[in-house]
Amino acid sequence: MKGKTDTGSSNPGPAPILLQKAGEFIRFFLGELRPKGRVLTPFNVISGAIILLGAVLVVIRFARGLGAVTNLNQDYPWGLWIGFDVVTGVAFAGGAYVLTFVVHVLRFKKYEPIVRATVLNGFLAYVFYAGALLLDLGRPWNVINPIIGKAFGLSSVLFLVAWHFMLYMICEFVEFAPAVAEWLNWKRVRRFVMSLTMGAVIFGITLSTLHQSGLGALFLLAPSKIHPLWYSGSIPVLFFISSIFAGLSMVIIESSISHRIFNSQIDGEHRASHGEIVLGLGKGAACALFVYLFLKIIDFVHGRHWDLIPTPMGYWYLLETVGFVLVPAGLFVYAVRKESVPMVQFTAVLAAIGVVLNRLNVSIIAFKWYEPVRYVPSWMEVEITLAVIFLEIWVFRWVVNRMPVLRKYREPEGEPVKEAEVVKWRPSHM
């Protein structure tokens, strides 16, 4: 592209140039697909085997139906894939809308170094976990119906959830698009998508507020099937608030792991501020946990469920509420006061376990607790869930190793943008 001075009849025209650029892009992209670093590591071998086995089981599921790989039946139509992949996974993706609100709206710039990784994590969570919803649909090809209008289902909460999932994934992609444009060296595209970021953030926050609570509203349809200790008219609010500390806890865990694994990509300033960032996230998680605990106590007192406590389900409820809500809330406060980053990281894991426990309790464990024969996920359901998680980690690692997610983007010096320039590829660096 440099040094072109011949503007006469030898100009090859737009079609050959387009073909040349397409060829350059394909060669560049194929080069980026090559692994970076060692391939035969223990993590790669174990996770690769799990992903391969999961792919085989997914083929069997679509070829022979749900009954071939799951323990789902007419009494328990929703199992692990809904309870964990969708209901729990979307809560953990909540860190993206919380952090973009803090950085772009409240202007807390100290969290800016982890925004891209958090948005990427949130986007992938929606793509993989919400995408796993297809596995649980008896007729997965009908998933498009609420979008194309063949059967809108306007009276269903799932109509709201389906549209919000789709729109929010678009918003998150727009928020992450500047990193893609920088990777491809598309300068004008980068400027354009950067101009859309604030609008996408505000729209995304609005959507998240509604569909995080909308997931909880789904369970308002089954008041007699959910144990009274977990059923409440406040489930939508509880789901929304729990998505805040679930998301922040996941951001603490993910950023701490990324800080260690991708350390070579992080500049000194970011490394030095990591502890302060973790402590700040711990403060936010503690506040959300105390609000959540307060609402749980109000629900419990108003429901007058004292007589249910000295029962097996009551003990299980106490373990969740005290062990994984009250204790993490107190530990977060203690860790922040002592400025102990390791304790904040440990407490984030406790809080994340509590979210998993609560979402599985509402959707599976406390659902039809009175039935003599209960649903227990098959090993194949667990295996496919693990395969989805590992596949998301692989994609996250591939993107971080190529795009400026954790490292700062620097404009190439001495390369002014030309009007006729389409693209000039630059290889990514570790």
Side-chain angles (χ1 to χ4, degrees), residues 20-131:
Q20 180 191 350
K21 298 303 177 188
E24 287 179 11
F25 176 79
I26 292 171
R27 285 193 293 276
F28 167 78
F29 189 73
L30 290 177
E32 291 291 78
L33 286 179
R34 284 196 290 269
K36 297 192 174 186
R38 287 198 306 138
V39 175
L40 294 177
T41 62
F43 174 80
N44 285 347
V45 171
I46 295 171
S47 60
I50 290 174
I51 292 171
L52 281 176
L53 179 57
V56 172
L57 293 175
V58 167
V59 172
I60 294 173
R61 176 264 171 265
F62 283 113
R64 298 185 179 178
L66 284 166
V69 296
T70 73
N71 285 339
L72 298 174
N73 52 49
Q74 293 298 329
D75 290 326
Y76 291 95
W78 287 4
L80 184 67
W81 294 340
I82 294 291
F84 183 81
D85 294 9
V86 180
V87 177
T88 309
V90 169
F92 285 136
Y97 82 85
V98 175
L99 208 62
T100 53
F101 174 74
V102 169
V103 172
H104 294 293
V105 179
L106 300 182
R107 300 287 183 181
F108 284 96
K109 293 299 181 184
K110 76 173 183 179
Y111 300 104
E112 199 162 6
I114 60 170
V115 165
R116 281 191 175 178
T118 304
V119 171
L120 172 63
N121 193 38
F123 174 70
L124 293 178
Y126 273 85
V127 169
F128 282 92
Y129 298 152

Side-chain angles (χ1 to χ4, degrees), residues 215-232:
L215 276 179
L218 281 174
F219 296 95
L220 293 178
L221 303 174
S224 61
K225 296 179 180 177
I226 300 176
H227 192 282
L229 286 172
W230 281 274
Y231 179 80
S232 158

